[in-house]
Amino acid sequence: MLKKYLLKLIFSNAFFKEIYIKRRIRQKKDLMNEIELQSYLEEAEKFFLDKPICISVGLVRDSDNFANEGLVTERAYFPKYERFLKNNQISYSFYDPFRSNWMEEAEKYDLIIWHTDSDPSTQEIAESKIYILEKMGIKCFPSYDEIWSYESKVRANYLYKLYDLPTIPTYISHSKQDTIDYLKHVRFPIISKISTGSASFGVDKINDYNEAKKVVDKIFSYKGKDTYFKYQSQKNYVYFQEYIEDATFDLRVICIGDELFGYYRYPNKGDFRASGAGNYEKKEIPNEALELAYKVREKFGSTMLATDFVYSEKKKKYFIIESSIFIGIDTCEQLCINGVSGKYKRLDESNYQFIPGKYWIQEVSLKSYIEKNIN
């Protein structure tokens, strides 16, 4: 996320922009031209609707794109959506929800597909505009209900509590005195998080009361506590979670209807945070975790939901860390068992079948959404 703000500075100067793009192509290899993109997309199986539909779609490009240079990032969502639309002969054009005439332009569409950025400013824009678009009678993917809890750990936790889902024991409060009272009795260490943040940014371990008190004093001060978003502070809320000391990995399970994918993530040595560490392992996932992920998505009512878990060996139980309707996707192999990529198919609550294949999560999601919501 910090990268996006640096990009704005770099891209304001044509010379530095050219140097940046050349270096990124040479070193990171995550920028592709049209030919490379098509080859990359064709690595996965194609998805087709059960029956043809006649609608007009507004497709929003990811903001981290290099369209003017004829390049696209590996993680961009819109090319996968676009491939699905083309393969199913669905009429579409690109739509820009950030322009002043966004309402007028939206009137020509039946459905708008928008992979929103995960920063607070974009989420505020997306929430307000998707709300209005749906009031205009235009379907949105994601919907307002889905975007409401995206990149908000606080809101997501309200849903976990509402539906009695097994989240890591979590304390949320907007009261300083209530929080101080809590700190006097809690068992340290505890994990402190900001509500909006991914890849372990804004996640800290607090080891004792004095350290926690300093954090709380900043949060409930006039300016609040600084975050890695320079324009937004953590103000007047705390989000604390119990430290699961015997958790050795995160397990991410991606659920789309009755199709599931997933992989394990491990922290770097000496750290407790697996998200963002880049240490992945793809292997078989226990039915218990698959069924829990399926239940979370059902309760949230989302088309696609990726839920991260930790497992406590002591308590013999999976705990929810957080959930998201969008995740970073680099490959069409989001699940592999014994070196074979594929997906799980839910047959019933105790029976999951592995089906080999390579799939773009974006296409699986869009197919599921259209078949459920477009008549």
Side-chain angles (χ1 to χ4, degrees):
M1 294 181 186
L2 285 173
K3 179 179 68 177
K4 292 176 182 176
Y5 305 109
L6 293 174
L7 285 177
K8 290 181 180 179
L9 295 176
I10 293 171
F11 279 28
S12 63
N13 185 293
F15 175 73
F16 289 119
K17 181 179 179 179
E18 183 179 355
I19 292 176
Y20 171 80
I21 291 174
K22 287 181 179 179
R23 182 179 179 185
R24 185 164 175 175
I25 292 173
R26 184 173 66 252
Q27 294 186 352
K28 294 191 174 182
K29 299 181 180 178
D30 68 335
L31 287 180
M32 296 174 285
N33 60 34
E34 183 65 25
I35 296 174
E36 292 168 329
L37 173 62
Q38 292 309 311
S39 176
Y40 173 67
L41 293 176
E42 292 304 315
E43 292 175 7
E45 297 180 19
K46 295 178 180 179
F47 271 81
F48 297 96
L49 295 168
D50 292 340
K51 59 181 181 180
I53 60 167
C54 183
I55 58 172
S56 178
V57 173
L59 180 59
V60 181
R61 287 189 175 96
D62 299 54
S63 65
D64 186 11
N65 77 83
F66 301 80
N68 292 336
E69 288 73 35
L71 300 169
V72 67
T73 63
E74 200 173 58
R75 283 195 168 189
Y77 267 56
F78 81 87
K80 289 84 173 180
Y81 292 142
E82 185 178 21
R83 187 181 90 138
F84 179 86
L85 296 172
K86 286 180 176 178
N87 288 339
N88 286 274
Q89 299 181 327
I90 298 173
S91 174
Y92 77 96
S93 59
F94 288 107
Y95 169 66
D96 188 348
F98 297 97
R99 296 178 67 89
S100 61
N101 64 344
W102 65 276
M103 289 179 68
E104 291 80 3
E105 285 295 302
E107 290 177 350
K108 60 188 177 186
Y109 301 118
D110 303 299
L111 168 65
I112 288 173
I113 303 170
W114 183 2
H115 171 229
T116 66
D117 279 348
S118 56
D119 60 282
S121 61
T122 303
Q123 285 311 298
E124 183 179 357
I125 294 167
E127 265 190 64
S128 61
K129 294 192 174 182
I130 289 174
Y131 179 84
I132 295 298
L133 290 168
E134 290 186 344
K135 290 292 185 182
M136 293 169 62
I138 301 167
K139 293 188 181 297
C140 295
F141 178 61
S143 67
Y144 177 77
D145 282 350
E146 290 174 299
I147 210 73
W148 181 83
S149 61
Y150 174 51
E151 284 301 338
S152 174
K153 295 180 179 65
V154 170
R155 291 179 179 180
N157 200 270
Y158 293 157
L159 293 176
Y160 300 143
K161 188 172 183 179
L162 175 65
Y163 296 121
D164 195 26
L165 295 167
T167 181
I168 294 176
T170 302
Y171 174 84
I172 299 170
S173 180
H174 296 84
S175 163
K176 182 176 182 179
Q177 187 55 55
D178 182 45
T179 303
I180 296 299
D181 293 341
Y182 161 82
L183 293 175
K184 291 177 180 177
H185 303 96
V186 72
R187 180 174 176 269
F188 289 95
I190 57 175
I191 305 301
S192 175
K193 298 182 178 182
I194 60 175
S195 186
T196 299
S198 59
S200 292
F201 287 112
V203 178
D204 298 293
K205 184 164 69 170
I206 299 178
N207 296 299
D208 55 46
Y209 174 84
N210 290 333
E211 186 180 346
K213 178 66 165 54
K214 291 178 181 177
V215 170
V216 170
D217 285 342
K218 287 183 180 179
I219 290 171
F220 288 95
S221 67
Y222 178 74
K223 293 180 64 176
K225 182 177 180 291
D226 289 342
T227 69
Y228 65 102
F229 298 108
K230 293 302 181 184
Y231 59 86
Q232 186 176 80
S233 61
Q234 180 182 0
K235 181 170 171 56
N236 293 346
Y237 78 89
V238 294
Y239 185 100
F240 294 142
Q241 286 188 322
E242 180 180 312
Y243 176 55
I244 310 298
E245 57 187 354
D246 63 335
T248 58
F249 61 84
D250 285 5
L251 171 58
R252 168 167 286 174
V253 181
I254 306 156
C255 183
I256 307 164
D258 57 3
E259 298 175 305
L260 297 96
F261 308 79
Y263 46 84
Y264 296 78
R265 302 182 298 186
Y266 299 89
N268 291 321
K269 186 176 181 180
D271 200 352
F272 67 95
R273 294 164 292 199
S275 175
N279 307 316
Y280 300 96
E281 184 179 13
K282 296 178 181 179
K283 60 182 181 179
E284 189 173 358
I285 299 173
N287 278 14
E288 179 187 354
L290 294 171
E291 187 62 19
L292 181 53
Y294 177 83
K295 182 179 179 181
V296 177
R297 188 203 62 77
E298 285 279 284
K299 292 296 186 181
F300 271 53
S302 301
T303 299
M304 188 283 275
L305 196 68
T307 300
D308 298 340
F309 304 98
V310 292
Y311 183 77
S312 171
E313 189 64 42
K314 186 192 307 181
K315 298 181 180 179
K316 303 295 181 184
K317 181 178 179 180
Y318 284 97
F319 290 98
I320 299 167
I321 306 171
E322 58 191 62
S323 303
S324 180
I325 60 171
F326 293 127
I327 57 173
I329 297 173
D330 301 307
T331 173
C332 54
E333 299 178 339
Q334 292 297 301
L335 171 71
C336 286
I337 298 179
N338 298 323
V340 179
S341 60
K343 63 182 177 182
Y344 284 109
K345 178 79 172 179
R346 183 181 186 270
L347 304 179
D348 57 52
E349 63 182 33
S350 60
N351 193 2
Y352 285 83
Q353 177 187 5
F354 177 73
I355 301 174
K358 296 182 179 181
Y359 315 95
W360 288 118
I361 294 296
Q362 296 90 341
E363 292 189 293
V364 182
S365 301
L366 188 51
K367 180 179 187 293
S368 177
Y369 175 85
I370 289 176
E371 291 183 340
K372 184 177 179 180
N373 296 280
I374 307 293
N375 298 321

